[in-house]
């Protein structure tokens, strides 16, 4: 089987120039991944976890702006499997997004080769399983995209680079959790937190006194916002999800579901060991996991309780979120400054208000957006659209909250290529929400408590708000963003609370160009998996 996989990779590589979705002058990085089940003990209890090449978490992807990633995934699980790439924009190429609405899952015992390019991106991201409730079993890993050598970075090279994959975890298996959701109930509070796949005291990060290190922090959990801190050390924020930020200093940082941050930490304390702490936010009780920051010349172990952090304070978190600003003088993936894109001077062409809710439908707990609770169709929406199979109905989800009861539907919202839209996420519930948009970064122009009204625009930040792909919405609050629809495709907009996403709090945005030109969107991959009503159809000749 492995030889066949290598042959397949070779064939695909030979025809990459014909595909034209990859720029031949940019480097290639090849990955062979085998996905299996294996025994893991993240909270001291034996569980069946999802391993990639025998690892939990999975292998880290380290690449450079515009690199071409050829990732061959062999699915040795007993059920279909897909990986998605949280924050990678897949420019003109939603074919590689790896969500059930864009791709057929990889059948057991078979492989699929993702062919994607980290086009015009830098920063810190992660990948995760997108099928079923596999995310609760592992299968996630970090992604770093470094700047090209000729593009200046607004801070000196750090002495080291550490990835922190933190998030909540259940002792129950992913199949039991899925059964609970399928039965019409929500999930209980998670059992604990993990840092890089282990509970408290599971990892040690060794550093040298006086040097500065980069820590990339991603919240890969299922249900909980977290607060991250390092005992006795300040953190200088330098990047969020591909954007360089003003280098503000924080004692601790809230990282909401699906979000990624980069901080610089200088080892300027006496040579000892210190706690690295992740704790849950807005939960009772508070969950916590620790690791150890070990000075190479350390004279003592960590002792006493880990340092405390914020717990339920919403205003504290809101004020911190507002303090995160774009670095207008720094270059990102290209040599021009980030601030040269004056998003605040562009007129919006459409306002979309999206309200989350938790309706009971047919006697079961569901979650919805504008009263619509998403149910998957029998064929990925992208394939149904491409083959004109029907079932893709742009505009099926309304642009505004209806105030009515929830109902089930395969939700697609139509949108015009190159439109510039205003999206307001409205949260009438008592829990913090986290939203992600595939295929895009957006500008978070405002967030506040209460009900959004047109007058709220008077307080928008139209100069230097951060550009990112995942944003929180606090309880009884709203968050507004501006987004330019410059990426044709079928893109998932979802709650990053995975139970809410699984039970319908998501939909797909169909950004359509009537030109149907390869300049706007790449053609269907030759190796695309076909399923449902697309089975037996042809992609393109080799």
């Amino acid at each position: 089987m492995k030889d066949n996989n290598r042959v397949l990779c070779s064939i695909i590589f030979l025809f990459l120039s014909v595909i034209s979705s990859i720029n031949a002058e940019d480097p290639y990085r090849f990955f062979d991944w085998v996905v299996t089940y294996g025994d893991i003990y993240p909270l001291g209890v034996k569980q069946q976890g999802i391993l990639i090449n025998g690892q939990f978490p999975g292998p880290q992807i380290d690449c450079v702006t515009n690199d071409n990633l050829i990732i061959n995934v062999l699915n040795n699980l007993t059920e279909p499997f897909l990986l998605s790439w949280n924050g990678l924009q897949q420019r003109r190429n939603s074919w590689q997004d790896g969500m059930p609405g864009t791709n057929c899952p990889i059948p057991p015992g078979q492989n699929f080769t993702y062919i994607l390019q980290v086009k015009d991106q830098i920063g810190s991201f992660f990948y995760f399983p997108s099928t079923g409730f596999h995310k609760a079993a592992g299968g996630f890993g970090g992604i770093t995209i470094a700047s090209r050598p000729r593009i200046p970075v607004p801070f000196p090279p750090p002495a080291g680079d550490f990835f922190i994959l933190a998030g909540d975890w259940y002792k129950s298996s992913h199949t039991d959790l899925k059964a609970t959701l399928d039965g019409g109930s929500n999930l209980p509070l998670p059992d604990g937190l993990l840092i890089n796949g282990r509970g408290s005291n599971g990892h040690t990060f060794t550093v040298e006194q006086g040097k500065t290190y980069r820590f990339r922090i991603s919240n890969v959990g299922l249900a909980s916002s977290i607060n991250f801190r390092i005992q006795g050390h300040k953190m200088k924020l330098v990047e969020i999800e591909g954007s360089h930020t003003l280098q503000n200093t924080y004692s601790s940082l809230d990282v909401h579901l699906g979000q990624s941050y980069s901080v610089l930490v200088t080892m300027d304390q006496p040579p000892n060991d210190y706690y690295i702490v992740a704790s849950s936010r807005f939960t009772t009780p508070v969950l916590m996991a620790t690791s150890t920051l070990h000075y190479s010349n350390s004279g003592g172990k960590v002792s006493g309780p880990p340092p405390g952090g914020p717990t339920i304070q919403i205003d504290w978190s809101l004020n911190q979120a507002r303090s995160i600003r774009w670095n207008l003088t720094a270059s990102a993936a290209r040599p021009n400054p980030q601030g040269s894109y004056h998003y605040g001077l562009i007129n919006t062409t459409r306002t979309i208000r999206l309200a989350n809710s938790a309706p009971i439908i047919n006697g079961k707990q569901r979650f919805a957006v504008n009263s619509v609770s998403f149910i998957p169709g029998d064929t990925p929406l992208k394939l149904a659209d491409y083959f004109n199979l029907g079932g893709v109905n742009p505009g099926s989800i309304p642009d505004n909250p209806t105030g009515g009861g929830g109902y089930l539907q395969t939700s697609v919202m139509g949108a015009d290529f190159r439109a510039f839209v205003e999206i307001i996420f409205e949260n009438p519930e008592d829990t913090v929400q986290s939203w992600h948009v595939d295929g895009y970064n957006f500008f978070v122009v405002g967030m506040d408590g209460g009900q959004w009204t047109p007058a709220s625009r008077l307080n928008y930040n139209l100069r230097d708000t951060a550009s990112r792909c995942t944003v929180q919405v606090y309880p009884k609050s709203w968050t507004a963003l501006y987004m330019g629809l410059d990426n044709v495709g079928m893109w998932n907009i979802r709650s990053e609370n995975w139970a809410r996403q699984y039970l319908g709090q998501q939909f797909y945005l169909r950004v359509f160009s009537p030109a149907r030109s390869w300049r706007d969107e790449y053609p269907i991959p030759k190796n695309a998996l076909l399923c449902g009503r697309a089975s037996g159809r042809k992609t393109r000749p080799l």
Side-chain angles (χ1 to χ4, degrees):
M1 177 63 74
K2 196 161 187 178
D3 290 341
N4 291 338
N5 295 339
R6 294 183 188 280
V7 170
L8 180 60
C9 279
S10 299
I11 292 173
I12 293 170
F13 175 72
L14 289 173
F15 288 96
L16 285 177
S17 59
V18 179
I19 291 175
S20 78
S21 65
I22 290 198
N23 189 339
E25 66 190 20
D26 294 313
Y28 296 90
R29 297 180 190 267
F30 293 87
F31 304 85
D32 266 317
W33 287 357
V34 179
V35 180
T36 59
Y37 283 125
D39 292 339
I40 59 174
Y41 301 81
L43 292 176
V45 176
K46 180 179 177 180
Q47 292 179 263
Q48 185 186 62
I50 293 178
L51 313 180
I52 299 179
N53 292 351
Q55 301 178 41
F56 169 69
Q60 183 170 306
I61 295 176
D62 296 314
C63 57
V64 178
T65 300
N66 291 349
D67 279 358
N68 303 303
L69 309 181
I70 314 299
I71 306 171
N72 181 48
V73 179
L74 173 62
N75 175 21
N76 273 346
L77 304 183
T78 54
E79 61 267 4
F81 181 80
L82 264 182
L83 286 172
S84 190
W85 320 91
N86 207 77
L88 299 196
Q89 292 181 13
Q90 315 288 0
R91 302 297 303 174
R92 298 186 287 166
N93 201 15
S94 64
W95 300 108
Q96 306 293 338
D97 199 35
M99 291 300 295
T102 53
N103 296 95
C104 295
I106 308 168
Q110 297 187 31
N111 75 296
F112 176 72
T113 302
Y114 291 89
I115 305 169
L116 52 92
Q117 185 181 33
V118 289
K119 179 67 175 172
D120 290 338
Q121 285 194 263
I122 60 158
S124 311
F125 309 96
F126 64 91
Y127 60 86
F128 67 95
S130 60
T131 40
F133 216 64
H134 281 142
K135 192 179 179 186
F140 49 76
I143 303 172
T144 72
I145 309 176
S147 295
R148 290 174 291 172
R150 61 180 175 270
I151 306 298
V153 175
F155 50 86
D161 196 313
F162 300 115
F163 216 120
I164 304 286
L165 297 167
D168 51 24
W169 192 261
Y170 289 89
K171 292 180 180 178
S172 300
S173 69
H174 74 283
T175 53
D176 288 344
L177 297 174
K178 181 176 177 293
T180 297
L181 296 172
D182 290 340
S185 300
N186 198 3
L187 298 181
L189 185 74
D191 295 300
L193 293 186
L194 304 182
I195 294 176
N196 289 356
R198 297 183 183 179
S200 286
N201 307 316
H203 286 280
T204 297
F205 299 87
T206 300
V207 296
E208 294 186 30
Q209 191 176 26
K211 293 187 176 181
T212 297
Y213 294 80
R214 181 173 184 168
F215 286 79
R216 304 172 190 260
I217 310 135
S218 289
N219 185 340
V220 296
L222 302 172
S224 307
S225 298
I226 63 171
N227 180 267
F228 180 84
R229 52 200 181 272
I230 300 177
Q231 182 183 25
H233 294 73
K234 299 293 187 181
M235 299 181 292
K236 182 184 292 184
L237 183 65
V238 294
E239 177 255 334
I240 57 169
E241 296 160 14
S243 294
H244 291 305
T245 63
L246 288 183
Q247 295 179 11
N248 296 331
T249 299
Y250 301 93
S251 297
S252 68
L253 273 173
D254 277 358
V255 185
H256 302 277
L257 287 166
Q259 293 183 340
S260 297
Y261 288 76
S262 281
V263 298
L264 297 179
V265 183
T266 298
M267 305 305 148
D268 54 6
Q269 297 301 302
N272 288 304
D273 288 359
Y274 297 89
Y275 283 110
I276 296 174
V277 185
S279 59
S280 62
R281 289 286 266 123
F282 320 117
T283 65
T284 304
V286 174
L287 307 174
M288 182 181 293
T290 62
S291 291
T292 300
L293 183 73
H294 171 69
Y295 279 43
S296 59
N297 58 339
S298 173
K301 302 293 185 182
V302 292
S303 61
T311 55
I312 62 172
Q313 304 92 330
I314 292 174
D315 285 348
W316 186 97
S317 188
L318 175 62
N319 288 333
Q320 183 180 86
R322 288 171 170 164
S323 74
I324 297 172
R325 302 296 181 92
W326 222 21
N327 186 336
L328 299 183
T329 61
S331 298
R334 295 182 178 184
N336 55 297
Q338 292 177 145
S340 63
Y341 181 69
H342 298 293
Y343 67 91
L345 300 179
I346 303 173
N347 293 326
T348 57
T349 55
R350 180 179 177 184
T351 295
I352 302 168
R353 295 168 52 211
L354 302 172
N356 49 271
S357 59
I360 303 297
I361 303 177
N362 299 327
K364 293 185 176 183
Q365 178 68 69
R366 297 287 300 184
F367 297 98
V369 187
N370 287 359
S371 300
V372 183
S373 186
F374 182 86
I375 52 172
D378 58 2
T379 306
L381 292 164
K382 183 63 180 171
L383 291 178
D385 195 28
Y386 178 80
F387 290 115
N388 197 26
L389 300 176
V392 178
N393 180 24
S396 67
I397 179 172
D399 278 17
N400 295 283
T402 66
Y407 58 95
L408 303 175
Q409 187 170 275
T410 305
S411 316
V412 180
M413 179 180 284
D416 295 330
F417 182 42
R418 296 199 177 99
F420 193 74
V421 299
E422 175 188 39
I423 299 177
I424 299 102
F425 290 108
E426 301 180 0
N427 178 17
E429 299 184 68
D430 293 325
T431 56
V432 65
Q433 306 292 313
S434 188
W435 288 93
H436 177 85
V437 180
D438 277 356
Y440 288 94
N441 267 29
F442 47 72
F443 294 95
V444 184
V445 293
M447 56 175 64
D448 208 346
Q451 179 66 46
W452 180 89
T453 69
S456 302
R457 296 181 178 127
L458 296 175
N459 294 317
Y460 280 3
N461 178 354
L462 299 182
R463 173 173 168 77
D464 65 348
T465 190
S467 171
R468 60 188 316 168
C469 60
T470 311
V471 68
Q472 71 274 22
V473 192
Y474 293 102
K476 307 291 186 181
S477 300
W478 56 267
T479 295
L481 56 92
Y482 282 176
M483 187 167 73
L485 301 182
D486 59 354
N487 197 11
V488 172
M490 187 77 69
W491 304 107
N492 188 243
I493 298 180
R494 62 178 176 270
S495 169
E496 287 284 5
N497 180 308
W498 219 241
R500 298 182 78 104
Q501 181 270 352
Y502 181 79
L503 292 180
Q505 199 163 294
Q506 61 169 308
F507 65 95
Y508 284 82
L509 184 72
R510 179 181 181 258
V511 180
F512 179 72
S513 169
R516 296 183 180 272
S517 167
W518 285 19
R519 294 175 305 172
D520 299 335
E521 183 178 27
Y522 296 138
I524 187 171
K526 297 180 177 73
N527 69 326
L529 298 173
L530 302 179
C531 58
R533 288 175 293 143
S535 297
R537 298 194 175 243
K538 303 295 184 184
T539 55
R540 294 183 292 128
L542 284 174

